[in-house]
Every structure is written in structure tokens, then in C-alpha cells.
Amino acid sequence: MMSDHDYNLIALNEARDEDMIEEIEVDQAKSIEDKALSKEDKVNLDYTLIKNKNTKRSKVQDDHAKKDKELTQKMDDQTQRFIRFEKQIKANSSAIDKNKKDTSELQSQVAHLKKENAILNSVCEERARYKRRWNLRLTGLPEKDDENVRETVIGILIRIFPVSVERLRDTVDTVHRLGKREGAATSNNVSRVVIIQFGMRTIRDEVWKKI
């Protein structure tokens, strides 16, 4: 009669025998598959599969790294452009502000100069008018070649205002004709106007009264 211990040993031996049978069957099936491929084919197949997988992964990684580097470089270049553009904008803004200030100052100066110029023109015109009051204009005096118009005018004034020749010579400052001798007036046989400028206003007024 077998005890429980003997029964358990028999069961374990049977189970081990079954595992060995399955293992033998698996090994036999694997052996049959291995026979279908030679050892060299298996090595080449494994090597090819591993090589292609690693090469593809390495190429993808290199492409990603290259693209990341290019993108980073573009971003850096763009950042530098923005910095330069911002500096240029600030410089232009400063220049515009300075130009506005200078323009405002120039406009103020121009307005002041215009006002001053108007005053000076008025003064000059007034002085010119006042100076012309010392002058007399003589028309119709025939022109001659190499004429001494001053002596001719003094001779006329002596007949109008009976004073000494020396006094008239001291009083009459300048005598001249207006315009050029070869002008349109002389070409039509019209004598040019003579301007007599006196050094003393009183003599000029006396002559004017006698005319």
C-alpha cells in the first residue's frame, strides 16, 4: 500500500516527464525551422534587420537635429534683425525729434527775420525817398559824345538861380544820366534823364522854387 508521500513523488515524476516531453517537442520544432535556414542566412538576416533599423533611426535623428539647428539659427538671426531694427527705430525717432525741434527753431528765426526784413525795407525805402528829396530830375537835355554833364547842368542852374559858380560846384554833389547810352531810349533819339543830387537841401529847394 502506497502512502501519500509515495503518491506525491509519482505525480511529480509524471509532471516532470510531461514537461520534458513538451520541451523536447518545442526543441524539435525549432530544430526543424533552423534546418530551413542555414547558419549564414540567419546571421545575414539578423544583421540586415538590425542594421536597417539602426540606420533609419540614426538618419531620422540626424535630420531632426539638423532641422533643429537650422531653426535655432534662423530664430537667432531673426532676433538679431529685430534688435537692429529696434535700434534703428530709436535712432530715427531721436533724429525726427531733433529735426522737429530744429525746424521749430528755424521757423521762429525765419518769422523774426521776415519781420526784421520788413522793418529794414521800410527804413531803406524811407531813406531813399528822403534822399530823393535832395535831388532834381532834368529831362530834355541833349546828349553829346564826351560831354561833361555836370558842368553843363551847373551852367543851366546859374541862369535859374543867380549864385556864384564856386558855390554851385560846392553844392551840386553828383550829376548823372539814368540808364545806358546804348539803350532803347537813345536809339529813338530820346535823351536820357539827368539826375542832379545836391549836397545842401536849402539850395535844392531854392532852385526848385525858381523853376
Side-chain angles (χ1 to χ4, degrees):
M1 182 177 180
M2 292 186 297
S3 63
D4 293 336
H5 178 70
D6 295 334
Y7 178 79
N8 291 334
L9 289 175
I10 294 172
L12 289 173
N13 291 329
E14 291 178 354
R16 185 180 62 183
D17 293 338
E18 290 178 357
D19 292 338
M20 291 178 62
I21 293 171
E22 291 178 357
E23 184 177 357
I24 291 171
E25 291 177 353
V26 171
D27 292 339
Q28 290 178 352
K30 186 175 181 182
S31 176
I32 294 172
E33 291 177 357
D34 291 341
K35 289 180 180 179
L37 294 173
S38 65
K39 183 177 181 180
E40 183 178 358
D41 293 336
K42 287 175 64 179
V43 171
N44 291 336
L45 179 61
D46 294 339
Y47 175 76
T48 303
L49 292 175
I50 294 172
K51 182 179 179 182
N52 290 339
K53 184 176 181 180
N54 293 336
T55 302
K56 184 176 181 181
R57 182 181 300 172
S58 177
K59 184 177 180 181
V60 171
Q61 291 176 351
D62 292 341
D63 291 341
H64 288 171
K66 184 177 180 181
K67 290 180 179 179
D68 291 341
K69 185 177 180 180
E70 291 177 354
L71 183 60
T72 302
Q73 184 64 36
K74 289 181 179 180
M75 292 178 66
D76 292 340
D77 294 341
Q78 196 70 17
T79 301
Q80 293 299 324
R81 290 180 182 177
F82 282 138
I83 293 173
R84 291 194 298 269
F85 186 67
E86 185 177 4
K87 290 181 179 179
Q88 188 64 38
I89 290 176
K90 290 181 179 179
N92 291 339
S93 298
S94 299
I96 290 172
D97 293 338
K98 185 177 182 300
N99 290 336
K100 287 182 178 179
K101 183 178 179 181
D102 294 342
T103 301
S104 179
E105 292 178 355
L106 289 175
Q107 288 177 348
S108 178
Q109 292 178 3
V110 169
H112 177 73
L113 290 174
K114 284 183 177 180
K115 184 177 180 180
E116 184 178 359
N117 187 48
I119 294 173
L120 291 175
N121 286 335
S122 178
V123 171
C124 290
E125 290 177 0
E126 183 61 28
R127 288 183 177 180
R129 284 194 296 268
Y130 179 77
K131 190 65 176 178
R132 285 194 294 269
R133 294 173 187 171
W134 292 50
N135 301 340
L136 288 177
R137 185 171 61 180
L138 179 62
T139 60
L141 181 64
E143 294 189 41
K144 298 178 181 179
D145 295 335
D146 299 329
E147 66 178 355
N148 189 341
V149 66
R150 186 171 186 273
E151 291 297 327
T152 303
V153 169
I154 289 175
I156 295 173
L157 293 178
I158 289 175
R159 293 194 294 268
I160 297 173
F161 185 66
V163 294
S164 63
V165 176
E166 289 76 12
R167 186 179 179 185
L168 280 176
R169 286 176 178 171
D170 293 337
T171 303
V172 175
D173 188 8
T174 59
V175 179
H176 62 87
R177 291 183 183 271
L178 293 179
K180 295 182 179 180
R181 183 178 179 82
E182 296 80 14
T186 57
S187 63
N188 295 328
N189 295 324
V190 178
S191 300
R192 291 175 294 165
V193 175
V194 177
I195 300 298
I196 307 169
Q197 186 175 18
F198 291 86
M200 295 179 63
R201 177 72 179 273
T202 56
I203 300 298
R204 180 263 182 197
D205 292 341
E206 290 294 333
V207 173
W208 177 250
K209 291 177 182 179
K210 296 291 184 179
I211 296 176

